[in-house]
Amino acid sequence: MDSLTGPYAAVIGVQSIYAGMFLLSKVAFDLGMNTFIFVFYRQAAATLFLAPIVFFTEWKSAPPLTFKILIKIFVLSLFGITLSLNIYGVALVYTSATLAAAITNSLPVITFLIAVLFSMEKVNLKTIPGVVKIAGIGLCAGGAATIAFYKGPFLKLLLHHHLFSHYSQKHHALVHGSCEMWVKGVLLLLLANTFWGLWIVFQGGVMKSYPSKLLLTLLQCFLSSIQSLVLALVMERDPSQWKLGWNVRLLAVAYCGIVVTGLTYYLQSWVIEKKGPVFLAMSTPLGFVFTIIASALLLGEVIGLGSILGGVLLVGGLYCVLWGKSREQVMEIHQGSICKAVEVESTVKVLTQSEGSLKNNNGHPSSPYVTIV
């Protein structure tokens, strides 16, 4: 992949894959698939997909897995994957694919706020970047509130074009139905993103203890599969719900488990290596745009004006936080350069003064063993 255009193509691919995840998950849930069973199958598929890759790449070189590290990975999987995905699934039943994509733009802001609460990030209100970051958090909160409490007029874009008549009817009933269910769905999506943000913040510490990235991902998928299986068995007792068949359920499970977990992991890692995490985070709104277009063209989804306005506010908040963060990094680098220059200048002065004190009246060094570099 070309080093100049490659990262741009990669982030477009990543956000397109995420748009497909929102759409397929929503259709599978609206066609009757249990959300908890879906998460189990998804993580099991991801585990089966990654296992042979890890075996042939990192298995022999991986560091030993201690009981303490295993407990950390178990907790990380529980909050960041199992709870996040299961809450997200329930929320998606109450809302829409477009809304889920819009709320995803809050993830970097939520992650930043969590890092601040745990003293991993700092906010300086005496600087413009610090004020902009706080404004970004406010815009994010305003966007979420707009989506939750204001539906507005509905934009019926190509409503007659849809793949599933059952889906179209159910979605129409959803967007015109109970406001309480809609608000509950928004709050659940924010809660799912909060757990996801916790996973992002604390995964860095776990990766320092266990740096084998691919094996760490496999372990998390495997542990979350077991956790999701237990949760699914508790929440769903009907054996017929566990049947997949050659239908959209199987397609959604395979797509989310293999393509989303497998392909996007590699693409995102490659983009971060080439352009950094900020570049990847700035591409998040593309998923929102792709989802709006695809849901309107393929599913005939009715989009409320409130979702569009709220999404715009969320994107604005995202870019404010990212801009503030990038400017602070530039300022830190600049201050570091100034401090280094001052340190070098001070060292030169000390050496110059030492040289002067060592010279005799004729201007020659008093000792042949003193050399000024």
Side-chain angles (χ1 to χ4, degrees), residues 134-199:
I134 294 299
I137 294 174
L139 283 174
C140 182
T146 301
I147 291 175
F149 300 108
Y150 175 67
K151 289 186 178 181
F154 295 102
L155 310 176
K156 299 181 181 181
L157 304 175
L158 302 175
L159 185 59
H160 57 287
H161 293 292
H162 56 82
L163 297 179
F164 305 99
S165 58
H166 174 75
Y167 168 81
S168 183
Q169 294 169 3
K170 186 167 184 177
H171 177 71
H172 186 271
L174 170 68
V175 296
H176 292 282
S178 172
C179 182
E180 181 182 349
M181 299 295 284
W182 185 266
V183 173
K184 184 186 293 185
V186 173
L187 294 177
L188 286 174
L189 283 172
L190 290 173
L191 180 60
N193 278 343
T194 300
F195 281 124
W196 195 357
L198 285 168
W199 176 78

Side-chain angles (χ1 to χ4, degrees), residues 31 52 59 61 98 145 189 192 208 238 264 269 281 293 297 352:
L31 291 178
W59 187 260
S61 60
T98 300
L189 283 172
K208 289 180 180 178
D238 185 4
T264 57
S269 299
I293 296 172
L297 292 175
T352 304

Side-chain angles (χ1 to χ4, degrees), residues 89-297:
V90 175
L92 197 54
V93 173
Y94 294 150
T95 55
S96 67
T98 300
L99 181 61
I103 295 294
T104 302
N105 289 287
S106 68
L107 177 61
V109 180
I110 291 174
T111 304
F112 168 75
L113 190 57
I114 293 172
V116 171
L117 292 176
F118 284 95
S119 300
M120 296 179 180
E121 287 279 353
K122 296 181 180 180
V123 178
N124 188 356
L125 295 178
K126 296 181 180 180
T127 63
I128 293 179
V131 173
V132 171
K133 287 197 292 187
I134 294 299
I137 294 174
L139 283 174
C140 182
T146 301
I147 291 175
F149 300 108
Y150 175 67
K151 289 186 178 181
F154 295 102
L155 310 176
K156 299 181 181 181
L157 304 175
L158 302 175
L159 185 59
H160 57 287
H161 293 292
H162 56 82
L163 297 179
F164 305 99
S165 58
H166 174 75
Y167 168 81
S168 183
Q169 294 169 3
K170 186 167 184 177
H171 177 71
H172 186 271
L174 170 68
V175 296
H176 292 282
S178 172
C179 182
E180 181 182 349
M181 299 295 284
W182 185 266
V183 173
K184 184 186 293 185
V186 173
L187 294 177
L188 286 174
L189 283 172
L190 290 173
L191 180 60
N193 278 343
T194 300
F195 281 124
W196 195 357
L198 285 168
W199 176 78
I200 293 173
V201 169
F202 290 106
Q203 186 175 220
V206 176
M207 288 184 67
K208 289 180 180 178
S209 304
Y210 202 76
S212 296
K213 298 178 182 178
L214 204 56
L215 181 54
L216 178 60
T217 302
L218 173 62
L219 290 171
Q220 290 184 72
C221 288
F222 174 69
L223 292 173
S224 66
S225 298
I226 298 175
Q227 296 162 353
S228 299
L229 175 61
V230 174
L231 187 59
L233 289 172
V234 172
M235 301 300 295
E236 181 57 62
R237 303 296 179 86
D238 185 4
S240 63
Q241 285 288 338
W242 293 82
K243 297 179 181 179
L244 290 176
W246 295 98
N247 50 32
V248 71
R249 296 186 180 193
L250 180 60
L251 176 61
V253 166
Y255 181 88
C256 293
I258 297 175
V259 179
V260 175
T261 303
L263 184 57
T264 57
Y265 172 82
Y266 170 77
L267 288 176
Q268 290 179 110
S269 299
W270 186 82
V271 170
I272 291 173
E273 181 183 2
K274 295 295 182 181
K275 303 287 285 186
V278 174
F279 178 82
L280 179 64
M282 289 182 69
S283 70
T284 305
L286 288 176
F288 177 43
V289 175
F290 293 158
T291 305
I292 290 177
I293 296 172
S295 60
L297 292 175

